[in-house]
PDB file of all heavy atoms in Angstrom:
ATOM      1  N   ARG A 772       8.479   7.618   0.050  1.00 68.00           N
ATOM      2  CA  ARG A 772       9.937   7.610   0.306  1.00 68.00           C
ATOM      3  C   ARG A 772      10.652   7.232  -0.954  1.00 68.00           C
ATOM      4  O   ARG A 772      11.702   7.731  -1.353  1.00 68.00           O
ATOM      5  CB  ARG A 772      10.173   6.588   1.440  1.00 68.00           C
ATOM      6  CG  ARG A 772       9.660   7.140   2.790  1.00 68.00           C
ATOM      7  CD  ARG A 772       9.914   6.011   3.854  1.00 68.00           C
ATOM      8  NE  ARG A 772       9.434   6.470   5.017  1.00 68.00           N
ATOM      9  CZ  ARG A 772      10.269   7.062   6.010  1.00 68.00           C
ATOM     10  NH1 ARG A 772      11.510   7.229   5.772  1.00 68.00           N
ATOM     11  NH2 ARG A 772       9.698   7.481   7.195  1.00 68.00           N
ATOM     12  N   SER A 775      10.576   9.820  -3.714  1.00 66.00           N
ATOM     13  CA  SER A 775      11.231  11.106  -3.453  1.00 66.00           C
ATOM     14  C   SER A 775      12.591  11.097  -4.019  1.00 66.00           C
ATOM     15  O   SER A 775      13.185  12.118  -4.332  1.00 66.00           O
ATOM     16  CB  SER A 775      11.197  11.345  -1.958  1.00 66.00           C
ATOM     17  OG  SER A 775      12.094  10.327  -1.259  1.00 66.00           O
ATOM     18  N   VAL A 776      13.069   9.860  -4.223  1.00 71.00           N
ATOM     19  CA  VAL A 776      14.444   9.766  -4.771  1.00 71.00           C
ATOM     20  C   VAL A 776      14.377   9.296  -6.272  1.00 71.00           C
ATOM     21  O   VAL A 776      15.177   9.863  -7.175  1.00 71.00           O
ATOM     22  CB  VAL A 776      15.252   8.711  -3.982  1.00 71.00           C
ATOM     23  CG1 VAL A 776      16.676   8.626  -4.640  1.00 71.00           C
ATOM     24  CG2 VAL A 776      15.438   9.173  -2.598  1.00 71.00           C
ATOM     25  N   ALA A 842      14.046  14.449  -4.863  1.00 80.00           N
ATOM     26  CA  ALA A 842      14.235  15.286  -3.630  1.00 80.00           C
ATOM     27  C   ALA A 842      15.543  14.786  -2.998  1.00 80.00           C
ATOM     28  O   ALA A 842      15.499  14.785  -1.666  1.00 80.00           O
ATOM     29  CB  ALA A 842      13.081  15.185  -2.789  1.00 80.00           C
ATOM     30  N   VAL A 843      16.550  14.346  -3.705  1.00 82.00           N
ATOM     31  CA  VAL A 843      17.695  13.632  -3.047  1.00 82.00           C
ATOM     32  C   VAL A 843      18.350  14.832  -2.246  1.00 82.00           C
ATOM     33  O   VAL A 843      18.827  14.505  -1.084  1.00 82.00           O
ATOM     34  CB  VAL A 843      18.601  13.268  -4.054  1.00 82.00           C
ATOM     35  CG1 VAL A 843      20.088  12.696  -3.401  1.00 82.00           C
ATOM     36  CG2 VAL A 843      18.011  12.042  -4.944  1.00 82.00           C
ATOM     37  N   GLU A 845      17.105  17.082  -0.532  1.00 81.00           N
ATOM     38  CA  GLU A 845      16.454  17.444   0.722  1.00 81.00           C
ATOM     39  C   GLU A 845      16.514  16.360   1.702  1.00 81.00           C
ATOM     40  O   GLU A 845      16.003  16.545   2.837  1.00 81.00           O
ATOM     41  CB  GLU A 845      14.803  17.660   0.302  1.00 81.00           C
ATOM     42  CG  GLU A 845      14.686  18.889  -0.633  1.00 81.00           C
ATOM     43  CD  GLU A 845      13.165  18.923  -1.176  1.00 81.00           C
ATOM     44  OE1 GLU A 845      12.335  18.162  -0.550  1.00 81.00           O
ATOM     45  OE2 GLU A 845      12.984  19.553  -2.083  1.00 81.00           O
ATOM     46  N   HIS A 846      17.101  15.373   1.412  1.00 82.00           N
ATOM     47  CA  HIS A 846      17.241  14.078   2.258  1.00 82.00           C
ATOM     48  C   HIS A 846      18.741  13.966   2.788  1.00 82.00           C
ATOM     49  O   HIS A 846      19.021  12.896   3.196  1.00 82.00           O
ATOM     50  CB  HIS A 846      16.798  12.831   1.650  1.00 82.00           C
ATOM     51  CG  HIS A 846      15.306  12.886   1.369  1.00 82.00           C
ATOM     52  ND1 HIS A 846      14.384  12.654   2.324  1.00 82.00           N
ATOM     53  CD2 HIS A 846      14.658  13.047   0.269  1.00 82.00           C
ATOM     54  CE1 HIS A 846      13.162  12.611   1.835  1.00 82.00           C
ATOM     55  NE2 HIS A 846      13.238  12.909   0.485  1.00 82.00           N
ATOM     56  N   MET A 847      19.587  14.963   2.618  1.00 85.00           N
ATOM     57  CA  MET A 847      20.971  14.871   3.064  1.00 85.00           C
ATOM     58  C   MET A 847      20.898  14.766   4.607  1.00 85.00           C
ATOM     59  O   MET A 847      20.433  15.648   5.434  1.00 85.00           O
ATOM     60  CB  MET A 847      21.781  16.064   2.584  1.00 85.00           C
ATOM     61  CG  MET A 847      21.815  16.202   1.047  1.00 85.00           C
ATOM     62  SD  MET A 847      22.314  14.840   0.069  1.00 85.00           S
ATOM     63  CE  MET A 847      23.992  14.744   0.687  1.00 85.00           C
ATOM     64  N   VAL A 848      21.786  13.821   5.143  1.00 86.00           N
ATOM     65  CA  VAL A 848      21.811  13.682   6.508  1.00 86.00           C
ATOM     66  C   VAL A 848      23.233  14.003   6.948  1.00 86.00           C
ATOM     67  O   VAL A 848      23.567  14.075   8.097  1.00 86.00           O
ATOM     68  CB  VAL A 848      21.454  12.326   7.002  1.00 86.00           C
ATOM     69  CG1 VAL A 848      19.888  12.083   6.882  1.00 86.00           C
ATOM     70  CG2 VAL A 848      22.187  11.204   6.376  1.00 86.00           C
ATOM     71  N   ALA A 849      24.224  14.076   6.023  1.00 87.00           N
ATOM     72  CA  ALA A 849      25.523  14.370   6.497  1.00 87.00           C
ATOM     73  C   ALA A 849      26.293  14.981   5.129  1.00 87.00           C
ATOM     74  O   ALA A 849      25.958  14.514   3.983  1.00 87.00           O
ATOM     75  CB  ALA A 849      26.273  13.061   6.805  1.00 87.00           C
ATOM     76  N   ILE A 864      26.053   9.124  -1.507  1.00 91.00           N
ATOM     77  CA  ILE A 864      25.497   7.842  -1.400  1.00 91.00           C
ATOM     78  C   ILE A 864      24.547   7.739  -0.208  1.00 91.00           C
ATOM     79  O   ILE A 864      24.455   8.578   0.583  1.00 91.00           O
ATOM     80  CB  ILE A 864      26.678   6.671  -1.225  1.00 91.00           C
ATOM     81  CG1 ILE A 864      27.394   7.129   0.184  1.00 91.00           C
ATOM     82  CG2 ILE A 864      27.562   6.715  -2.288  1.00 91.00           C
ATOM     83  CD1 ILE A 864      28.548   6.219   0.459  1.00 91.00           C
ATOM     84  N   GLY A 865      23.725   6.626  -0.196  1.00 88.00           N
ATOM     85  CA  GLY A 865      22.799   6.373   0.961  1.00 88.00           C
ATOM     86  C   GLY A 865      23.433   6.130   2.282  1.00 88.00           C
ATOM     87  O   GLY A 865      24.604   5.505   2.163  1.00 88.00           O
ATOM     88  N   ASP A 866      22.741   6.329   3.291  1.00 87.00           N
ATOM     89  CA  ASP A 866      23.328   6.025   4.521  1.00 87.00           C
ATOM     90  C   ASP A 866      23.597   4.576   4.796  1.00 87.00           C
ATOM     91  O   ASP A 866      24.578   4.263   5.406  1.00 87.00           O
ATOM     92  CB  ASP A 866      22.422   6.635   5.735  1.00 87.00           C
ATOM     93  CG  ASP A 866      21.007   6.115   5.590  1.00 87.00           C
ATOM     94  OD1 ASP A 866      20.574   5.492   4.628  1.00 87.00           O
ATOM     95  OD2 ASP A 866      20.315   6.215   6.752  1.00 87.00           O
ATOM     96  N   ILE A 867      22.650   3.700   4.224  1.00 87.00           N
ATOM     97  CA  ILE A 867      22.948   2.204   4.560  1.00 87.00           C
ATOM     98  C   ILE A 867      24.271   1.810   3.658  1.00 87.00           C
ATOM     99  O   ILE A 867      24.959   1.062   4.215  1.00 87.00           O
ATOM    100  CB  ILE A 867      21.694   1.427   3.980  1.00 87.00           C
ATOM    101  CG1 ILE A 867      20.410   1.797   4.892  1.00 87.00           C
ATOM    102  CG2 ILE A 867      21.866  -0.002   4.002  1.00 87.00           C
ATOM    103  CD1 ILE A 867      19.199   1.093   4.526  1.00 87.00           C
ATOM    104  N   ARG A 870      27.209   2.893   5.518  1.00 89.00           N
ATOM    105  CA  ARG A 870      27.720   1.991   6.627  1.00 89.00           C
ATOM    106  C   ARG A 870      28.195   0.777   6.182  1.00 89.00           C
ATOM    107  O   ARG A 870      29.145   0.131   6.742  1.00 89.00           O
ATOM    108  CB  ARG A 870      26.303   1.733   7.493  1.00 89.00           C
ATOM    109  CG  ARG A 870      25.832   2.944   8.326  1.00 89.00           C
ATOM    110  CD  ARG A 870      24.936   2.448   9.568  1.00 89.00           C
ATOM    111  NE  ARG A 870      23.700   1.823   8.914  1.00 89.00           N
ATOM    112  CZ  ARG A 870      22.687   2.544   8.719  1.00 89.00           C
ATOM    113  NH1 ARG A 870      22.544   3.710   8.824  1.00 89.00           N
ATOM    114  NH2 ARG A 870      21.612   1.723   8.275  1.00 89.00           N
ATOM    115  N   VAL A 906      25.948  12.201   2.352  1.00 91.00           N
ATOM    116  CA  VAL A 906      25.119  11.036   2.655  1.00 91.00           C
ATOM    117  C   VAL A 906      23.691  11.324   2.666  1.00 91.00           C
ATOM    118  O   VAL A 906      23.325  12.336   3.372  1.00 91.00           O
ATOM    119  CB  VAL A 906      25.586  10.312   3.839  1.00 91.00           C
ATOM    120  CG1 VAL A 906      24.646   9.135   4.166  1.00 91.00           C
ATOM    121  CG2 VAL A 906      27.118   9.856   3.721  1.00 91.00           C
ATOM    122  N   PHE A 907      22.771  10.688   1.895  1.00 89.00           N
ATOM    123  CA  PHE A 907      21.371  11.028   2.043  1.00 89.00           C
ATOM    124  C   PHE A 907      20.655   9.816   2.750  1.00 89.00           C
ATOM    125  O   PHE A 907      21.229   8.622   2.691  1.00 89.00           O
ATOM    126  CB  PHE A 907      20.778  11.244   0.616  1.00 89.00           C
ATOM    127  CG  PHE A 907      20.811  10.121  -0.356  1.00 89.00           C
ATOM    128  CD1 PHE A 907      19.773   9.197  -0.393  1.00 89.00           C
ATOM    129  CD2 PHE A 907      21.842   9.954  -1.149  1.00 89.00           C
ATOM    130  CE1 PHE A 907      19.777   8.146  -1.258  1.00 89.00           C
ATOM    131  CE2 PHE A 907      21.936   8.813  -1.965  1.00 89.00           C
ATOM    132  CZ  PHE A 907      20.908   7.847  -2.046  1.00 89.00           C
ATOM    133  N   SER A 908      19.408  10.106   3.142  1.00 84.00           N
ATOM    134  CA  SER A 908      18.610   8.961   3.658  1.00 84.00           C
ATOM    135  C   SER A 908      17.058   9.294   3.290  1.00 84.00           C
ATOM    136  O   SER A 908      16.552  10.319   3.834  1.00 84.00           O
ATOM    137  CB  SER A 908      18.724   9.010   5.203  1.00 84.00           C
ATOM    138  OG  SER A 908      17.787   8.065   5.795  1.00 84.00           O
ATOM    139  N   ALA A 909      16.632   8.459   2.271  1.00 77.00           N
ATOM    140  CA  ALA A 909      15.206   8.643   1.922  1.00 77.00           C
ATOM    141  C   ALA A 909      14.271   7.683   2.748  1.00 77.00           C
ATOM    142  O   ALA A 909      13.048   7.768   2.758  1.00 77.00           O
ATOM    143  CB  ALA A 909      15.082   8.199   0.468  1.00 77.00           C
ATOM    144  N   GLY A 910      14.867   6.701   3.649  1.00 70.00           N
ATOM    145  CA  GLY A 910      14.123   5.893   4.445  1.00 70.00           C
ATOM    146  C   GLY A 910      13.501   4.789   3.665  1.00 70.00           C
ATOM    147  O   GLY A 910      12.414   4.406   3.914  1.00 70.00           O
ATOM    148  N   ALA A 911      14.282   4.317   2.682  1.00 69.00           N
ATOM    149  CA  ALA A 911      13.870   3.132   1.846  1.00 69.00           C
ATOM    150  C   ALA A 911      14.997   2.396   1.414  1.00 69.00           C
ATOM    151  O   ALA A 911      16.150   2.703   1.743  1.00 69.00           O
ATOM    152  CB  ALA A 911      13.088   3.606   0.563  1.00 69.00           C
ATOM    153  N   ASP A 914      18.330   3.618  -0.250  1.00 82.00           N
ATOM    154  CA  ASP A 914      19.572   4.063   0.543  1.00 82.00           C
ATOM    155  C   ASP A 914      20.728   3.110   0.550  1.00 82.00           C
ATOM    156  O   ASP A 914      21.808   3.513   0.774  1.00 82.00           O
ATOM    157  CB  ASP A 914      19.149   4.314   2.033  1.00 82.00           C
ATOM    158  CG  ASP A 914      18.007   5.347   2.098  1.00 82.00           C
ATOM    159  OD1 ASP A 914      17.938   6.264   1.235  1.00 82.00           O
ATOM    160  OD2 ASP A 914      17.474   5.498   3.276  1.00 82.00           O
ATOM    161  N   PHE A1081      12.774   1.617   8.880  1.00 58.00           N
ATOM    162  CA  PHE A1081      12.777   2.923   8.024  1.00 58.00           C
ATOM    163  C   PHE A1081      11.791   3.900   8.774  1.00 58.00           C
ATOM    164  O   PHE A1081      11.999   5.151   8.520  1.00 58.00           O
ATOM    165  CB  PHE A1081      12.510   2.727   6.700  1.00 58.00           C
ATOM    166  CG  PHE A1081      13.575   1.956   5.870  1.00 58.00           C
ATOM    167  CD1 PHE A1081      13.147   0.825   5.132  1.00 58.00           C
ATOM    168  CD2 PHE A1081      14.787   2.311   5.853  1.00 58.00           C
ATOM    169  CE1 PHE A1081      14.062   0.139   4.463  1.00 58.00           C
ATOM    170  CE2 PHE A1081      15.771   1.558   5.155  1.00 58.00           C
ATOM    171  CZ  PHE A1081      15.372   0.517   4.423  1.00 58.00           C
TER     172      PHE A1081
END
Side-chain angles (χ1 to χ4, degrees):
R772 290 173 183 269
S775 67
V776 177
V843 178
E845 300 173 10
H846 292 281
M847 303 303 297
V848 294
I864 60 178
D866 59 342
I867 298 178
R870 289 198 300 269
V906 175
F907 67 88
S908 176
D914 296 341
F1081 296 124

